[in-house]
Amino acid sequence: SHRREGSTWCPSFDRSPSIPASFGSYLAISYWFFVSALFSNAAIGAFALCYKLYLFQIGLREDFIGLVNGVSTASLALFALSLRKSLQQCGAWWCLTFGTASSIVSSTLLALMTDPGAILVRALSQGLATTFLIVPLMPFVIDHAPQEHRSTVAAVALSLASISSTIGNLVAGWSPTWFGVALGLSVPGVLSFGLGLLSSILVCGVALVPLAPSEHLVDAYPPRVQLLPD
């Protein structure tokens, strides 16, 4: 079988030795990665805000909403500490793809749940998915950016992530009103906020498109495979 040594459960994508270490080449290589990260960060920001408002609309108290947010944030911190092995074995591209897909599933389940206990349990998995979305950004920069441009790229990457998350928050704050006006729904209301959640999940789905297998991915990130005996 074709597996990288030490990894038996996921494909890995590494920087090709033939890729020239220039800033222009890096921008061309990283384009699809950062496009996906922009959409996923916007989706995270939109869902986080809209979900808190949605929980309030379905009758849950502020203290429980804070508990849900705390559980999700704490699980993100815990899972981030254990993500090193996945990044080493699979690479940032695979981790971001897995996190985006997991976030879509987890967010959809959260949006459908109304039982407080089930919401808390699902908030744990939401923290895991968010970990795979946020943490790979800097390892990607460190692994692939030319050393002389690494600090600049890192600063730009963090700025773009913050801007996209802010845009997500702004859109999430207005989207229930937009849906209410367009569809004649009550605002505030459960259905209008539910549609706001759905729109953020769809944005996260768009983030998967740049990560899909393509000529860009194959050319820029050829796997370093090692033939191991079965």
Side-chain angles (χ1 to χ4, degrees):
S1 60
H2 298 286
R3 296 190 182 95
R4 186 181 178 185
E5 187 175 4
S7 174
T8 59
W9 55 278
C10 65
S12 60
F13 297 95
D14 296 313
R15 177 178 177 175
S16 169
S18 63
I19 294 175
S22 68
F23 189 58
S25 299
Y26 172 75
L27 289 178
I29 293 164
S30 60
Y31 175 79
W32 295 109
F33 184 91
F34 285 111
V35 167
S36 176
L38 286 174
F39 278 101
S40 61
N41 277 282
I44 291 173
F47 187 88
L49 175 63
C50 202
Y51 189 63
K52 294 181 181 69
L53 300 173
Y54 173 78
L55 291 179
F56 186 77
Q57 289 300 313
I58 63 176
L60 296 175
R61 292 174 49 180
E62 292 88 340
D63 55 350
F64 179 79
I65 297 173
L67 179 61
V68 171
N69 188 66
V71 167
S72 180
T73 304
S75 64
L76 189 158
L78 291 175
F79 286 126
L81 294 174
S82 61
L83 196 61
R84 178 180 63 88
K85 185 176 181 180
S86 298
L87 284 167
Q88 287 178 340
Q89 291 184 337
C90 306
W93 195 288
W94 184 91
C95 288
L96 185 61
T97 304
F98 175 80
T100 305
S102 299
S103 182
I104 294 171
V105 174
S106 182
S107 298
T108 301
L109 292 175
L110 271 175
L112 295 174
M113 291 178 175
T114 56
D115 178 71
I119 290 174
L120 283 177
V121 172
R122 185 51 56 185
L124 287 171
S125 63
Q126 182 74 357
L128 171 62
T130 306
T131 301
F132 276 89
L133 285 174
I134 295 177
V135 175
L137 183 62
M138 283 302 104
F140 179 87
V141 171
I142 293 171
D143 288 345
H144 298 280
Q147 186 172 1
E148 62 271 22
H149 299 294
R150 196 166 291 163
S151 59
T152 301
V153 174
V156 171
L158 286 176
S159 296
L160 290 176
S162 298
I163 291 172
S164 60
S165 181
T166 300
I167 293 173
N169 275 280
L170 291 173
V171 172
W174 283 100
S175 61
T177 300
W178 294 339
F179 285 120
V181 172
L183 302 177
L185 304 174
S186 60
V187 180
V190 174
L191 188 54
S192 58
F193 280 99
L195 289 174
L197 290 176
L198 177 61
S199 63
S200 69
I201 295 171
L202 291 176
V203 171
C204 196
V206 173
L208 275 176
V209 176
L211 296 174
S214 65
E215 184 179 353
H216 300 85
L217 175 59
V218 174
D219 290 343
Y221 298 94
R224 291 177 182 174
V225 295
Q226 194 167 15
L227 294 177
L228 297 178
D230 291 326

